[in-house]
Each structure stands twice: as C-alpha cells, then as structure tokens.
Amino acid sequence: MTTAITLWLAFVLAAGVIAWFGTKRQALCLALVAILTAPSTLLPLGHPAITAPPAGRYTVLGARIDIDKAIYVLLDGGTGEPRYYRLPYTTATANNLQNSLDQAAGNGGSVGMRQGESGSPGFAEEGQGGREEPKPQEAQPIIGVQ
C-alpha cells in the first residue's frame, strides 16, 4: 500500500469513529471530505502509479526488471510529465524489454513502448537518439607545387 492510500484510509477510519460518536452534521461533513480526498490516492508520490498506463506510445526513460516480481518503467508520453509505472512480470515482456534496451545501447537509440488495449505492453528500439551519422571523408585535392 502506498503512503497516500494509507493516510487516506486512516483519515476515513478516524472520520468513521467521529461520525459514530458525533452528530449527523459531523458525519455528513467528514463523509464529504473523505469522498473529495479519494482521488489523491492515485498520486504516485515516489511510488509507481497504481493504474496501468493508458493505451498509446511511450518512450522508456528508464527501466528495472525484478525477476518473477515486476517490471518498473519510467515512461514519457510526450505530453506532460513522465510517469512511473509497475508492469506485471512475464518472461516474454522482460526479454522483449531487455533485448530492446541492449539494441538501443549498442546503436545509441532509445526504447519505445506501445501499450495495447488488452493491457499487454510491447517494447522496441526507436531511432538513433540524436546521434549524428559520421560524415564521409572528403577527397584531398592534389595540388602541384612548382
């Protein structure tokens, strides 16, 4: 459980105790505050988001694979700030990500991820990552000295 969810749950339990022993007006106010603060539990606060990334294309800024546990990725969707996600571990997904990271490191590119509607991510190497192609060496002119 993340810190945000734990704090929200503690607040709701405290509000329930006050509502049980308090007045109906207090119960209504505390219930309203609990409902209004519920969306704050979706904030990652340094922990992976509790939701899966929405369907779309992302650039993988960083990744960590914990074998048989999870795959942690920092994704940039191009709009807004990058988000930190915890993806379910499967051997195929982990191998796909590791192969893409290795290819990108060798070629100087980056790794992209496509999140499908079914919830399964796919990884692939993208582009050259801003690396310039080497220029061909120009032929030296032959100048005769007299």
Side-chain angles (χ1 to χ4, degrees):
M1 222 187 301
T2 66
T3 306
I5 292 173
T6 304
L7 290 174
W8 181 79
L9 185 59
F11 174 78
V12 169
L13 291 175
V17 169
I18 293 170
W20 183 264
F21 294 110
T23 64
K24 288 184 180 181
R25 176 180 253 173
Q26 287 175 331
L28 181 62
C29 290
L30 291 173
L32 182 64
V33 169
I35 291 169
L36 292 175
T37 58
S40 68
T41 61
L42 297 176
L43 299 174
L45 299 176
H47 299 280
I50 60 173
T51 59
R57 288 190 80 102
Y58 299 95
T59 300
V60 177
L61 301 178
R64 183 176 114 187
I65 301 171
D66 287 348
I67 299 172
D68 294 331
K69 292 181 184 175
I71 299 171
Y72 298 95
V73 291
L74 180 62
L75 301 176
D76 184 10
T79 58
E81 298 176 345
R83 298 281 316 254
Y84 180 44
Y85 291 99
R86 179 182 187 266
L87 303 174
Y89 179 86
T90 64
T91 304
T93 303
N95 288 339
N96 190 2
L97 173 59
Q98 188 63 53
N99 291 338
S100 298
L101 288 170
D102 292 343
Q103 288 177 358
N107 297 334
S110 62
V111 176
M113 182 185 106
R114 181 182 293 273
Q115 178 72 17
E117 293 292 331
S118 64
S120 60
F123 298 96
E125 181 195 4
E126 295 181 334
Q128 293 296 319
R131 190 178 87 173
E132 292 184 21
E133 293 294 322
K135 295 180 182 178
Q137 187 173 5
E138 295 179 11
Q140 296 292 328
I142 301 175
I143 301 177
V145 180
Q146 294 179 352

